[in-house]
Amino acid sequence: TRADRDAEAAMRRLIESRHPDHGIVGEEFGAERADAEHVWVLDPIDGTGAFICGLPLWGVLIGLRIGGAPALGMLAQPYLGERFLGWADEAWRERGGMRSRLHVRPCAALGEAILSTTSPRMFGDEEARGYRAVERDARLVRYGYDCYAYAMLASGFIDCVVEASLKAYDIDPLIPIVRGAGGHVANWEGGSAAGGGRVVAAGDERVLRAALERLRP
């Protein structure tokens, strides 16, 4: 949408004016200096479909890679007046002038977990078989939340998020938020999710391990 393009252009102008040696990777205008030590990762509207439909579950994602690794992340939902921040071992939610610390919740088993994915249609045939195996064992499943599902996982309301075909700007800003709240983010092979691809996030490591077992062919 025009809002996507205009928002990213504004962010790029601010970054370039203050940090001209930093790199930028964005959804709308691609990559500049992507091999720099500091690289900003921008998704001006993650969940454009929700935005078009007037649903307040999209978000503005801004991340910072340092030395190639996601180090700082922010999800902002302007309509709800919320901002989620994460770095190192801290994550916070800001709303109405108040800031509260985020913590994932314990969940002993996948059978007790609330699972989310943006859409089951995002998976290819082989991926869909793995996803359905996770979904069959979950206690409750919700669709359609895009980046907001990761914020709810970091807030202790959702236990697991499984997705595929993500780009770097879809996930890199969210990794520090989930990890800062004590959660886990990996690709379906159990390695780093940085850069996108097939991603699973969980608040409890036990749920992560269970999901990975079902996602592997």
Side-chain angles (χ1 to χ4, degrees):
T1 67
R2 179 178 176 181
D4 288 272
R5 295 189 295 272
D6 288 354
E8 184 173 319
M11 287 189 276
R12 283 175 176 264
R13 286 195 297 269
L14 287 168
I15 292 167
E16 290 167 352
S17 67
R18 300 178 187 184
H19 305 289
D21 58 329
H22 287 196
I24 302 174
V25 175
E27 180 180 21
E28 300 300 322
F29 300 111
E32 298 178 46
R33 299 178 297 280
D35 58 348
E37 177 69 11
H38 294 79
V39 178
W40 296 89
V41 184
L42 311 176
D43 192 346
I45 301 178
D46 182 86
T48 302
F51 175 79
I52 291 170
C53 295
L55 301 171
L57 297 174
W58 52 275
V60 179
L61 298 182
I62 300 176
L64 177 64
R65 294 180 192 157
I66 300 178
L72 174 70
M74 186 199 75
L75 185 167
Q77 213 310 313
Y79 185 81
L80 298 176
E82 291 183 320
R83 182 177 295 170
F84 300 86
L85 307 163
W87 61 88
D89 58 353
E90 295 184 30
W92 299 84
R93 174 180 178 265
E94 296 178 345
R95 185 174 184 180
M98 303 291 291
R99 173 181 279 199
S100 56
R101 188 79 178 262
L102 298 180
H103 299 281
V104 298
R105 67 182 176 190
C107 183
L110 185 57
E112 300 174 12
I114 297 175
L115 170 69
S116 179
T117 191
T118 297
S119 170
R121 296 177 65 184
M122 73 191 321
F123 304 109
D125 291 342
E126 185 65 33
E127 294 168 342
R129 282 190 285 272
Y131 171 74
R132 285 196 298 269
V134 179
E135 185 179 90
R136 278 195 301 268
D137 286 349
R139 179 167 67 92
L140 178 66
V141 182
R142 307 302 297 165
Y143 298 141
Y145 297 110
D146 294 288
C147 59
Y148 201 73
Y150 296 85
M152 293 300 96
L153 187 149
S155 302
F157 292 107
I158 287 175
D159 301 295
C160 187
V161 181
V162 176
E163 304 207 278
S165 305
L166 299 187
K167 305 298 185 184
Y169 44 75
D170 295 316
I171 190 62
D172 281 16
L174 296 168
I175 291 174
I177 299 173
V178 173
R179 289 183 175 167
H184 310 272
V185 188
N187 62 25
W188 287 20
E189 291 70 43
S192 172
R198 304 184 302 181
V199 172
V200 54
D204 193 304
E205 189 175 5
R206 293 169 290 185
V207 172
L208 178 72
R209 290 197 302 266
L212 288 174
E213 287 174 5
R214 289 156 179 79
L215 290 169
R216 293 188 180 112

